[in-house]
Amino acid sequence: MLGKLMKYEFKSTARIFTPLYAAMLIVSLVNRLLSNRPTDTPYIISMVVVSMLIGAAFVITLILTLQRFYKNLLGSEGYLMHTLPVSVNQLIWSKLLVATVWTIVCAGVVCLSIAIMALSVGEFQAFIQSFTQIRLAGYDEFAFIVECIAIVLASVMSGIVFLYACMALSMLFNKHRVAVSFGFFIVITTVAQILMAIVVEFAPNHLIGNVDTLFQNNEMLEAHALLVVILLIVAAIGALFFALTHHMLKNKLNLQ
Amino acid sequence: MTILNSAGLTKAFGQTIALNKVDLNIEAGRVIGLLGPNGSGKTTFLKLCNGLLTPTSGSVKIADKAPGVRTKAIVSFLPEDNYFSDWMKVKDMVSFFADFYKDFDAAKAEDMLITLEIDPAAQIKSLSKGAKEKVQLILVMARKARLYLLDEPIGGVDPATRDYILRTIITNYNPEASVIISTHLIADVEQVLDEVIFLKEGEIVMHEDVDTIREEKGVSVDQLFREVFKC
């Protein structure tokens, strides 16, 4: 059932993302072709269009992430989605996984688009070269790459599920749910930042902000441990918001 | 066999009590009219049965289970509002239902679309309000569910379609299944009902066999409704 839900989720998001990303890549290519004469008006126009598209890609990815969850699960379409014989877990995961994929694709397309416009042949070769270096790298380097990718992935997913939780919490109110969702977003981020400030203030110095020293002193084990701890914290925060979203949709659902 | 059972089912929205301590027992194989004026709690009751609302207190069970994945597989719900994604085509919705509901009969849905002259290739967005309601009803009735919960199924369509829909409801479903029809258009549905439930301000004021009403009280359901809910 999760597969089927994801299939429909991809279908309903792809019809917006595919043309957007295709447009970005095409305009980037046009921009590249025009770049021989960088003072001409067409080049300047295409530069403006690309910049706008890149901005739009991020904004639209965010808006669609919010809108797919709110409209499809908490709005009128929720009447259909919540009467399907699927579990709340499957509903949330289908939204979360698809939104994560699109966020990654969005970042990838933006990089590709910039590469199309700006990359020279030499730079491209150097880029390919760097992959061979990964292959030649030792265990530590490889593990660092894996850890960093995992942290980025966990952060993206935690971020998305945090937005879901803010919207799901609006089920506690009967009116002004969009405003309530936004309110929860503000309150939770503020509280989180205060907590963060307290941690930074009182935590022992060697625990934070000294990743560089760990690398410089070649204390690889500590560096790995630090990254894994960061990963676990991010994942735990994500799990917490997931559980909250699940609880709200399972036990507090109030569709109007 | 009991298909639906509610005990002390209550739902409040803030200070407003939409449904107040509803005790109800519905047997399999019955067609039941859930009747009451606007705001009497009909929609609230149906939403609670589908898990779209959470009870304030009390419980509702379908085939002995609280609303969840397993009840959703056997309940076919027609909400009052349109739940389509606008960009989808009618045939997309048919395959959506076929994908998720094991008891969905796509061939039957396609037949019904032809009868009601709805183009499967049409975008939902381009359909009239009445046509959207027809599509939604076709999808819901093309399932072989054990319990159909229909919220105002005939409210927005013309009288000819109304007759077709009612015929569909009584001829199409499996004899073991029960149908609950919420409406205030009593005269139109009276002919197909076995039982009626009168809801007033969130409480059940009567739950009776239609035959009993006709024989003992000597009135039609419509007349009785007008008496009970006299303004």
Side-chain angles (χ1 to χ4, degrees):
Chain A
M1 283 297 183
L2 180 62
K4 288 177 187 170
L5 286 171
M6 286 178 70
K7 181 179 93 181
Y8 281 97
E9 191 60 23
F10 269 121
K11 260 192 188 171
S12 33
T13 42
R15 77 204 166 85
I16 293 167
F17 283 127
T18 317
L20 175 70
Y21 295 155
M24 253 168 84
L25 295 176
I26 290 167
V27 180
S28 304
L29 202 64
V30 171
N31 182 276
R32 178 66 184 243
L33 298 176
L34 293 170
S35 66
N36 293 334
R37 305 166 70 179
T39 49
D40 282 8
T41 322
Y43 174 74
I44 294 165
I45 291 173
S46 80
M47 202 66 208
V48 171
V49 173
V50 175
S51 317
M52 278 165 59
L53 280 174
I54 289 177
F58 284 116
V59 174
I60 290 174
T61 307
L62 176 66
I63 289 179
L64 222 61
T65 300
L66 296 172
Q67 195 228 31
R68 282 300 301 166
F69 187 86
Y70 194 85
K71 203 171 155 200
N72 199 236
L73 294 184
L74 307 180
S76 59
E77 291 169 28
Y79 282 84
L80 176 60
M81 299 313 288
H82 288 289
T83 46
L84 296 175
V86 297
S87 68
V88 171
N89 264 323
Q90 288 169 330
L91 286 175
I92 305 174
W93 274 114
S94 67
K95 298 273 179 266
L96 176 57
L97 291 174
V98 172
T100 306
V101 168
W102 282 121
T103 307
I104 294 166
V105 171
C106 173
V109 172
V110 168
C111 292
L112 190 60
S113 159
I114 293 171
I116 290 174
M117 289 186 294
L119 213 59
S120 68
V121 179
E123 282 165 335
F124 185 70
Q125 281 167 343
F127 181 66
I128 297 295
Q129 204 73 49
S130 63
F131 280 101
T132 52
Q133 279 170 357
I134 293 174
R135 199 153 47 86
L136 296 172
Y139 167 80
D140 278 323
E141 286 84 348
F142 189 71
F144 282 132
I145 291 171
V146 172
E147 284 156 6
C148 289
I149 290 175
I151 288 174
V152 169
L153 203 60
S155 307
V156 169
M157 292 176 81
S158 291
I160 294 170
V161 89
F162 164 54
L163 298 174
Y164 289 171
C166 292
M167 290 184 276
L169 280 168
S170 73
M171 287 288 109
L172 291 172
F173 294 79
N174 288 322
K175 285 178 190 163
H176 313 300
R177 285 184 171 165
V178 174
V180 167
S181 307
F182 194 65
F184 273 114
F185 176 81
I186 303 274
V187 170
I188 296 173
T189 9
T190 310
V191 171
Q193 273 173 357
I194 293 171
L195 285 178
M196 197 71 167
I198 294 173
V199 170
V200 172
E201 187 65 33
F202 294 102
N205 250 344
H206 65 273
L207 272 184
I208 39 162
N210 283 336
V211 191
D212 286 355
T213 357
L214 288 181
F215 282 106
Q216 279 158 16
N217 300 344
N218 220 9
E219 294 167 20
M220 288 305 175
L221 203 61
E222 284 83 348
H224 283 302
L226 185 70
L227 289 179
V228 171
V229 168
I230 292 174
L231 175 64
L232 289 177
I233 291 173
V234 173
I237 293 171
L240 184 74
F241 284 122
F242 190 99
L244 185 60
T245 308
H246 183 268
H247 172 73
M248 294 307 300
L249 294 192
K250 175 117 183 139
N251 304 318
K252 303 281 175 199
L253 193 66
N254 278 306
L255 294 189
Q256 286 166 336
Chain B
M1 209 195 92
T2 302
I3 182 75
L4 187 149
N5 175 276
S6 80
L9 188 61
T10 302
K11 179 68 191 177
F13 297 101
Q15 297 294 317
T16 329
I17 293 174
L19 211 59
N20 194 10
K21 298 187 188 110
V22 167
D23 297 311
L24 200 59
N25 212 42
I26 305 248
E27 298 295 312
R30 310 285 282 171
V31 181
I32 298 118
L34 184 61
L35 313 176
N38 297 325
S40 56
K42 305 188 295 283
T43 298
T44 302
F45 178 74
L46 296 180
K47 283 196 201 172
L48 285 164
C49 295
N50 283 289
L52 298 174
L53 289 176
T54 316
T56 308
S57 63
S59 68
V60 58
K61 284 186 173 156
I62 288 144
D64 280 335
K65 289 175 214 83
V69 179
R70 287 199 290 181
T71 70
K72 286 167 189 178
I74 59 167
V75 173
S76 192
F77 174 49
L78 178 78
E80 198 175 2
D81 302 316
N82 164 11
Y83 57 37
F84 293 127
S85 310
D86 273 353
W87 58 274
M88 279 183 140
K89 295 194 170 104
V90 174
K91 60 179 180 196
D92 294 336
M93 280 314 296
V94 173
S95 47
F96 185 94
F97 267 63
D99 248 357
F100 284 101
Y101 295 110
K102 285 201 192 87
D103 59 4
F104 182 75
D105 185 344
K108 187 193 260 179
E110 278 149 20
D111 278 351
M112 290 166 83
L113 286 172
I114 294 169
T115 313
L116 292 182
E117 292 173 344
I118 292 165
D119 177 11
Q123 252 195 339
I124 305 272
K125 206 183 340 196
S126 69
L127 298 177
S128 70
K129 190 169 173 288
K132 280 184 199 167
E133 288 189 13
K134 286 182 200 170
V135 174
Q136 209 154 306
L137 188 88
I138 287 170
L139 293 169
V140 165
M141 292 312 296
R143 286 183 57 196
K144 285 195 168 48
R146 289 187 47 206
L147 179 63
Y148 297 84
L149 300 173
L150 313 177
D151 197 0
E152 295 287 358
I154 54 172
V157 295
D158 58 89
T161 312
R162 213 170 269 185
D163 285 345
Y164 173 80
I165 289 170
L166 290 172
R167 267 207 314 280
T168 310
I169 290 172
I170 46 171
T171 54
N172 253 5
Y173 81 98
N174 129 34
E176 290 297 297
S178 284
V179 186
I180 299 182
I181 306 171
S182 122
T183 186
H184 51 258
L185 299 168
I186 298 158
D188 285 303
V189 296
E190 187 167 348
Q191 33 159 349
V192 305
L193 300 180
D194 298 321
E195 291 172 34
V196 290
I197 296 165
F198 282 1
L199 262 185
K200 190 178 188 178
E201 290 162 9
E203 294 182 26
I204 294 183
V205 291
M206 184 183 293
H207 181 186
E208 197 70 78
D209 262 28
V210 171
D211 290 340
T212 317
I213 293 175
R214 291 205 189 104
E215 284 160 20
E216 290 180 8
K217 302 199 169 72
V219 290
S220 71
V221 175
D222 192 44
Q223 285 167 317
L224 185 65
F225 184 88
R226 283 168 208 266
E227 273 171 38
V228 172
F229 293 101
K230 200 168 181 181
C231 299

